[in-house]
Amino acid sequence: MHKTLTFSDHLRLIDERSTAFRAAVAAAPSLDMPVPTHPERTLFDLVQHVGMGRRKSAAIVAAGPADAPPEKSAWEDGTGAPREREALLAWWTESVERLTSALREAGPDRGCWTWWGDSQSPQTSGAWARRQVPEIAVHTYDVQLTVGAPQPLPEEVALDGFDDCQFTLCSTDVAWPHEPAVVDYYATEGRSWRLRLSRDGAWAARVGAPAASEDPDTADASARGTASDLVLFFYSRIPPDSLKLKLDGDRRIFDQLIAWDPSV
């Protein structure tokens, strides 16, 4: 059995991954280094982008129930992040503290605006806390890759993060525009997920390993790898043809999923 992470766990992991992010930025030879996973951005640009994202998330949680996100002035004063390294690191720390303070004050059950209203995840501050963990973790990987020392996502972060990816980012009641399909994901740590794609939308489920009497080939496509590699694959940090993953079935479905934007 795998532990189901709590609101307190997500707050702890936000702090842990944010500290790792800060350490990777502090170790970089230059803030002008290009980020391999975001060629249009320098390391400074990435820190500013991720920090602003935490400030915006904090403002959304603090606003409580709403039909739309708060005005930009609630989370950005127009000055941006400072360019001097120590000041930038302090700005990053403050950005995360704004987020965690807003989350602690709200608790896990406060309703608030989310952009995933058509998904299987709740529109709550707790869901916002959960969403932060893989976001910060993947961007930490980006910084580590930039400085030449990429690390896999910690198992606890990756397993919960991939679950969140399926139930928050993948699931939707927007009709799948291609032939109906079933996609299975298998983490080597022992967790599995099934995504059903049809005119009814995309719906995720947690599944167990198939029994000996079951047909293992019922999915139209499947991906197997560590939870970290599954998350990095989902975020397009590693390509579909990576040797770290084992893809079976119709690979076109993965290309369709990558290209699909249900909001359009």
Side-chain angles (χ1 to χ4, degrees):
M1 291 292 292
H2 291 274
K3 175 185 175 184
T4 299
L5 299 189
T6 66
F7 182 67
S8 294
D9 289 324
H10 291 132
L11 290 177
R12 168 177 57 83
L13 292 173
I14 289 171
D15 283 334
E16 289 182 7
R17 290 298 87 204
S18 298
T19 298
F21 182 94
R22 189 185 195 281
V25 174
S30 169
L31 295 177
D32 293 325
M33 298 176 70
V35 180
T37 48
H38 296 275
E40 75 284 2
R41 287 180 177 148
T42 64
L43 186 54
F44 169 82
D45 295 332
L46 181 67
V47 177
Q48 178 168 247
H49 170 74
V50 183
M52 286 297 183
R54 296 331 101 200
R55 289 170 181 245
K56 181 177 181 179
S57 298
I60 290 169
V61 171
D67 295 327
E71 294 294 328
K72 194 173 184 179
S73 59
W75 51 275
E76 183 179 350
D77 61 9
T79 61
R83 289 194 166 270
E84 191 275 324
R85 188 190 300 258
E86 288 305 314
L88 178 65
L89 293 173
W91 179 88
W92 165 254
T93 299
E94 181 193 357
S95 300
V96 177
E97 287 175 349
R98 286 192 187 189
L99 172 63
T100 54
S101 293
L103 288 168
R104 288 191 177 95
E105 181 178 343
D109 300 319
R110 176 188 287 178
C112 52
W113 177 86
T114 72
W115 46 262
W116 57 80
D118 61 346
S119 80
Q120 292 167 262
S121 288
Q123 293 184 279
T124 62
S125 48
W128 270 108
R130 190 187 198 206
R131 183 88 287 279
Q132 302 304 303
V133 179
E135 287 285 328
I136 299 172
V138 170
H139 286 306
T140 299
Y141 173 86
D142 291 335
V143 180
Q144 293 171 341
L145 183 66
T146 301
V147 300
Q151 300 293 320
L153 277 58
E155 180 178 314
E156 182 180 34
V157 170
L159 283 169
D160 189 71
F162 192 74
D163 191 87
D164 180 60
C165 287
Q166 294 304 294
F167 284 87
T168 305
L169 302 186
C170 272
S171 69
T172 177
D173 58 12
V174 176
W176 173 244
H178 306 287
E179 288 295 317
V182 174
V183 181
D184 284 349
Y185 297 96
Y186 301 96
T188 57
E189 295 86 351
R191 296 277 298 278
S192 303
W193 298 263
R194 169 159 286 188
L195 186 68
R196 294 185 180 275
L197 303 160
S198 71
R199 286 167 44 178
D200 294 327
W203 300 104
R206 302 176 188 97
V207 296
S213 60
E214 293 180 336
D215 180 0
D217 299 318
T218 55
D220 297 289
S222 66
R224 292 170 172 81
T226 66
S228 175
D229 287 338
L230 287 175
V231 172
L232 295 175
F233 169 58
F234 184 86
Y235 277 91
S236 300
R237 269 36 178 203
I238 58 177
D241 58 357
S242 170
L243 296 178
K244 295 182 177 182
L245 294 170
K246 184 176 187 298
L247 302 186
D248 289 310
D250 187 351
R251 293 194 179 196
R252 293 176 303 170
I253 298 171
F254 293 114
D255 295 331
Q256 292 168 349
L257 276 168
I258 290 169
W260 187 37
D261 183 356
S263 65
V264 175

